[in-house]
Amino acid sequence: MTSIACEFETELGKLVVYGTIIGTLYNRKPFAEKELQNCISDCIIIYEENPNLIIVGDLNTAFLEIDKEDFKINKSTTDSLINLFEKLDLMNSTMNIKENIDHIIIPKLFENRLKETNTFIPKRSKKDNHHSVFINISNPQFC
């Protein structure tokens, strides 16, 4: 299993957090493709029940052009995820973090509440491709 989802009651309403890894086993086929398809299918089903979907995890893809060649990003995976985000009215809040393949995808309705996006543990070496990323979403009651 490479994914899990939980629904949380929060000050922002009920949020579903879907955690996933796409491309385990170093993007070897058929594993990476199956994980991608499972992610897409899961997210569509979850979104139909609760559109307050947040996707977090190691997507093994970068969205900045500068990173795509360095990380040997699979364009098909990136395009499939971008299409999913558009279809489900989501935005990639961490897409502008350089040298990053770990992402937090949030509903576009939270875009104006997004206060901060950053890393709290940077990658440890040039060979490492994982940052620990976070976002800060403000609650309108406390603004």
Side-chain angles (χ1 to χ4, degrees):
M1 175 163 53
T2 58
S3 61
I4 187 168
C6 293
E7 185 174 66
F8 298 93
E9 186 73 47
T10 75
E11 295 166 340
L12 299 171
K14 287 185 179 181
L15 303 177
V16 176
V17 178
Y18 179 84
T20 191
I21 301 171
I22 298 172
T24 56
L25 297 174
Y26 308 103
N27 287 322
R28 280 189 283 172
K29 301 242 180 213
F31 305 105
E33 184 61 33
K34 184 68 173 161
E35 290 164 343
L36 174 64
Q37 293 311 314
N38 286 343
C39 174
I40 291 169
S41 174
D42 289 348
C43 289
I44 290 170
I45 291 167
I46 292 167
Y47 181 84
E48 289 171 356
E49 290 292 318
N50 183 346
N52 291 328
L53 172 62
I54 297 173
I55 304 168
V56 298
D58 179 358
L59 303 185
N60 272 309
T61 195
F63 296 88
L64 293 175
E65 288 301 318
I66 193 167
D67 292 334
K68 289 181 181 178
E69 189 169 320
D70 288 344
F71 289 131
K72 297 176 177 45
I73 297 303
N74 180 327
K75 182 177 177 353
S76 175
T77 297
T78 305
D79 290 347
S80 294
L81 289 170
I82 289 170
N83 288 337
L84 175 70
F85 304 158
E86 289 173 1
K87 179 177 182 173
L88 301 184
D89 207 26
L90 304 172
M91 65 165 285
N92 185 344
S93 65
T94 53
M95 73 178 291
N96 291 317
I97 296 174
K98 293 178 184 171
E99 299 179 351
N100 183 44
I101 61 171
D102 303 306
H103 296 282
I104 303 172
I105 315 306
I106 63 174
K108 282 185 183 174
L109 67 96
F110 292 155
E111 185 172 14
N112 292 335
R113 297 180 188 175
L114 187 62
K115 293 175 68 172
E116 185 178 12
T117 300
N118 214 331
T119 60
F120 63 94
I121 301 175
K123 63 186 201 159
R124 297 179 186 179
S125 71
K126 190 68 177 161
K127 288 184 176 184
D128 187 7
N129 59 5
H130 295 282
H131 289 296
S132 295
V133 296
F134 75 92
I135 63 172
N136 183 352
I137 299 173
S138 66
N139 183 333
Q141 294 176 348
F142 303 111
C143 290

